[in-house]
Amino acid sequence: MNLKDKVRSIQSTKKQPAILVIGDLMIDHYIWGNATRLSPEAPVPIVNVKNESSTLGGAGNVVQNLVALGATVTVAGVIGDDATGLQLIEILENEGVKTNTIIKDSARPTTIKTRVLAGRHQLVRVDREITDPLSADLENELAEKLTSVIDKADIIIFSDYNKGLFAPALTQRLIKIAAVHHKQVIVDPKGFNYEKYKGAFLIKPNRKELAEAAKTESIKNIDELQEAAKTVFAQTETAYLVVTLSEEGMAILTPESSKLLSVKATEVFDVTGAGDTVIAAITYFLALGFTVEEACDLANHAAAIVIRHVGSATTTIDEIIKDMEI
């Protein structure tokens, strides 16, 4: 059975894998307008606002990708005790996502990124956030809530945006809870410290993130990629590294092997959110019993679909099947 037929066969069963996303939650706020003149106060454009919109950002974008694929999703993380946090919960619940493992921290705001655009041109981004690690009390509360939820999940995603949730001690604590329940952890990493992900099944950095983690200036070819990967394998003992390479596709690496998957996209309009689509698709198909290589091949198709759209986008199984026929 070829991969396309295998996807169709799984699709016909209507199985919905239960996926737990633990991650940095945020709102992406967009202010759209026109700019036809400069301010007399400073050499900056004056934006005449025409529209505003808000959507899930960070780990929330991973969640939306999973929902679009057909997963049953529970999301865990930390938000502020504020109006933005309530808005975030409302959007998630409207998507049918379970939110009972999201906790509120009165000491920090819910992260919100506001982008001001004139036409298609982004003029400025304003971030409201606190990225300090959680208090010990909040770490304990989150870990205790997650213990039973992890047991019910088929697979777990850590969506790390470096906003303070994945402090080393808590990250290791959650990986160990997952190990007790024999659950695979898939990591979308951030920052320089990959040792905190020790014990994860698969880690998915992009080329720049891998170079930073391996403390090398850049990665220009497969030999340098393999050399950088050695550092991360030594730090994490992960089974797989999947490295996204933008227009070059992605690489699947183990301590003993490597394989390049060429990019599937014929047109590229916007790569925003493509990494979230990749991690969601890999995890979704792993949860359905596909191999890592099969899951990555399908994620490659999913990424090709979303980068044909402007802004963060999602895709469906039907669209992936159709893309495989092109």
Side-chain angles (χ1 to χ4, degrees):
M1 185 185 296
N2 64 31
L3 185 56
K4 184 172 65 178
D5 290 338
K6 189 173 178 180
V7 175
R8 282 201 180 107
S9 176
I10 289 287
Q11 187 186 30
S12 69
T13 68
K14 300 192 183 322
K15 183 181 177 185
Q16 291 183 292
I19 299 177
L20 171 62
V21 178
I22 305 171
D24 290 305
L25 297 165
M26 61 193 78
I27 288 286
D28 283 337
H29 174 221
Y30 295 88
I31 299 174
W32 309 85
N34 298 323
T36 57
R37 60 195 180 100
L38 294 177
S39 169
E41 302 160 5
V44 295
I46 297 172
V47 178
N48 184 16
V49 176
K50 299 295 184 184
N51 190 29
E52 292 188 53
S53 63
S54 294
T55 187
L56 296 172
N61 192 38
V62 178
V63 168
Q64 287 182 312
N65 274 274
L66 289 167
V67 170
L69 288 168
T72 298
V73 185
T74 300
V75 62
V78 179
I79 59 174
D81 189 6
D82 52 26
T84 304
L86 290 174
Q87 180 188 28
L88 190 149
I89 293 286
E90 183 180 7
I91 296 171
L92 285 166
E93 290 182 345
N94 286 339
E95 295 268 8
V97 175
K98 298 172 187 172
T99 62
N100 55 308
T101 46
I102 295 176
I103 60 177
K104 294 180 179 178
D105 182 358
S106 58
R108 70 176 69 212
T110 303
T111 297
I112 179 167
K113 298 178 180 179
T114 299
R115 297 168 176 87
V116 181
L117 300 98
R120 286 192 175 186
H121 300 288
Q122 183 174 316
L123 303 180
V124 67
R125 192 180 93 184
V126 180
D127 291 1
R128 281 165 277 191
E129 62 184 15
I130 291 175
T131 59
D132 298 338
L134 305 184
S135 68
D137 287 345
L138 283 175
E139 283 194 357
N140 288 332
E141 182 182 349
L142 185 61
E144 286 165 12
K145 279 194 171 190
L146 283 170
T147 300
S148 61
V149 178
I150 285 171
D151 185 42
K152 295 184 178 106
D154 292 318
I155 199 165
I156 303 155
I157 295 177
F158 286 4
S159 180
D160 190 350
Y161 273 79
N162 217 18
K163 302 301 179 189
L165 177 64
F166 289 100
L170 179 60
T171 306
Q172 275 297 291
R173 185 173 175 182
L174 296 177
I175 288 173
K176 285 170 182 172
I177 294 171
V180 167
H181 294 284
H182 308 289
K183 307 296 181 180
Q184 292 176 341
V185 174
I186 313 299
V187 177
D188 201 349
K190 278 289 185 298
F192 304 106
N193 177 18
Y194 278 34
E195 289 182 5
K196 67 182 181 178
Y197 305 126
K198 187 173 182 177
F201 174 70
L202 183 152
I203 302 174
K204 186 213 68 67
N206 60 33
R207 188 202 311 258
K208 180 175 179 288
E209 289 165 344
L210 178 61
E212 290 172 345
K215 296 180 173 57
T216 187
E217 190 172 327
S218 63
I219 296 171
K220 298 183 285 291
N221 53 50
I222 187 66
D223 290 338
E224 292 180 358
L225 185 71
Q226 290 169 327
E227 196 60 34
K230 286 179 186 176
T231 302
V232 175
F233 282 122
Q235 290 173 336
T236 65
E237 299 175 8
T238 188
Y240 289 92
L241 268 179
V242 175
V243 186
T244 51
L245 303 168
S246 191
E247 70 280 356
E248 294 174 43
M250 66 175 72
I252 308 170
L253 301 109
T254 72
E256 298 81 28
S257 67
S258 63
K259 179 173 182 177
L260 283 172
L261 299 179
S262 60
V263 70
K264 305 292 184 184
T266 54
E267 297 174 296
V268 179
F269 288 105
D270 192 346
V271 298
T272 303
D276 292 330
T277 298
V278 168
I279 197 78
I282 289 172
T283 307
Y284 176 79
F285 288 109
L286 286 177
L288 287 173
F290 288 78
T291 67
V292 170
E293 188 172 317
E294 288 170 337
C296 288
D297 196 351
L298 294 165
N300 217 4
H301 282 284
I305 294 163
V306 301
I307 63 178
R308 292 176 196 141
H309 302 275
V310 176
S312 294
T314 60
T315 189
T316 65
I317 299 297
D318 286 335
E319 289 173 333
I320 291 171
I321 293 171
K322 186 176 178 182
D323 194 74
M324 295 173 81
E325 295 169 344
I326 295 173

